[in-house]
Amino acid sequence: MHCSFSIAAIRTKSVGRISHPMESRTLRFLNCLEALAFSAFVGWYIWQLQASYFFAWLVFPVWMVASLVIHRDTPKTMGWRADNLWSATKRSAVFYAPSIAGLCLTGILLGALHRSAHHLLVPRHFFGYTAFCLLQQVGLNSYLTNRLLGVTDSPVRAALLSGTIFAALHWPNPVLIPLTFIGGVAMAWLFARDRNIIPLAIGQGILGTLVWWAFPVAWHHAMRVGPGFYTFHPR
């Protein structure tokens, strides 16, 4: 009796030690699979579904809401918060300030001063584009970076993966691919540090506007990606 009880106790203890890392690996695999599947669907939508199935966009809110509920995300984990807004803004300024200066200098060197930028400064256009950037931040960071942080314990690796996927989804735009990789990595890393998408969305809106102005339209094709890049014809 005593011997069998001891063996049973040892087995139970061993199973407990094994099950935890196995459970952790399973959760990491599921997070990775979910992130890659969502990214693949975004790519599919860009390249085919948006032109052939109008209501395909409904998959995005349904998918994300279901994921947020399943993962028990909160406004703080998703970066929808104001309590650390000032500290997050100061940290993000370390990336955005030199980026803004670099794009302004690039624009000057590429002759952007001779191109009209009036339409970009119209409040309706700017705030409309910034609202679109906010949606991108929800997808990039509130969702994708959050899931990748569940795959790896390293914010740097998660940021690199997020930035790579973000850039790949801007194929084949030769201007946006390298810029979105740099920006995607930086924004994902900043999100991992402070969990606040508000300054990230505003900063992305400013940078995107400057990219449109700084580079010739013949290069970035009105910031289009996917098949829209090939069908663009400047007036």
Side-chain angles (χ1 to χ4, degrees):
M1 291 287 292
H2 177 74
C3 180
S4 61
F5 177 79
S6 300
I7 293 174
I10 292 172
R11 285 177 178 173
T12 303
K13 190 174 182 180
S14 299
V15 170
R17 287 178 177 177
I18 295 172
S19 63
H20 180 70
M22 286 182 64
E23 181 182 355
S24 178
R25 284 196 296 269
T26 301
L27 290 175
R28 288 173 186 268
F29 172 77
L30 292 176
N31 275 319
C32 183
L33 182 63
E34 181 185 349
L36 293 178
F38 181 80
S39 302
F41 182 81
V42 173
W44 186 21
Y45 178 82
I46 291 172
W47 282 92
Q48 184 179 14
L49 293 180
Q50 65 176 333
S52 56
Y53 299 99
F54 175 77
F55 292 104
W57 67 270
L58 291 173
V59 173
F60 294 116
V62 172
W63 186 320
M64 294 187 68
V65 169
S67 178
L68 297 178
V69 171
I70 292 172
H71 289 273
R72 299 180 181 178
D73 283 306
T74 66
K76 284 191 174 183
T77 63
M78 294 184 292
W80 305 352
R81 55 196 297 192
D83 59 315
N84 67 337
L85 181 59
W86 178 236
S87 61
T89 301
K90 288 191 296 183
R91 195 187 304 275
S92 64
V94 176
F95 166 70
Y96 284 118
S99 298
I100 290 171
L103 286 173
C104 288
L105 178 60
T106 300
I108 293 172
L109 295 176
L110 294 177
L113 293 178
H114 301 289
R115 294 191 290 270
S116 175
H118 174 71
H119 66 291
L120 298 176
L121 301 177
V122 174
R124 179 171 60 88
H125 291 167
F126 176 76
F127 288 114
Y129 178 68
T130 303
F132 173 69
C133 291
L134 180 60
L135 291 177
Q136 284 196 325
Q137 286 299 321
V138 171
L140 172 65
N141 286 318
S142 297
Y143 179 81
L144 182 61
T145 302
N146 252 341
R147 298 297 166 262
L148 292 176
L149 285 170
V151 176
T152 173
D153 296 326
S154 169
V156 174
R157 284 196 292 268
L160 286 171
L161 289 170
S162 291
T164 300
I165 293 172
F166 191 52
L169 293 174
H170 286 79
W171 182 268
N173 196 303
V175 173
L176 296 184
I177 290 173
L179 294 181
T180 53
F181 173 73
I182 297 170
V185 171
M187 292 185 295
W189 184 82
L190 289 167
F191 174 81
R193 290 294 302 269
D194 292 306
R195 295 292 178 112
N196 197 314
I197 65 172
I198 298 174
L200 300 180
I202 295 172
Q204 184 185 351
I206 295 172
L207 292 185
T209 301
L210 287 174
V211 168
W212 186 303
W213 166 79
F215 294 90
V217 175
W219 292 14
H220 60 65
H221 288 202
M223 311 280 277
R224 296 188 181 188
V225 300
F229 179 83
Y230 297 112
T231 58
F232 173 76
H233 298 287
R235 296 177 181 178

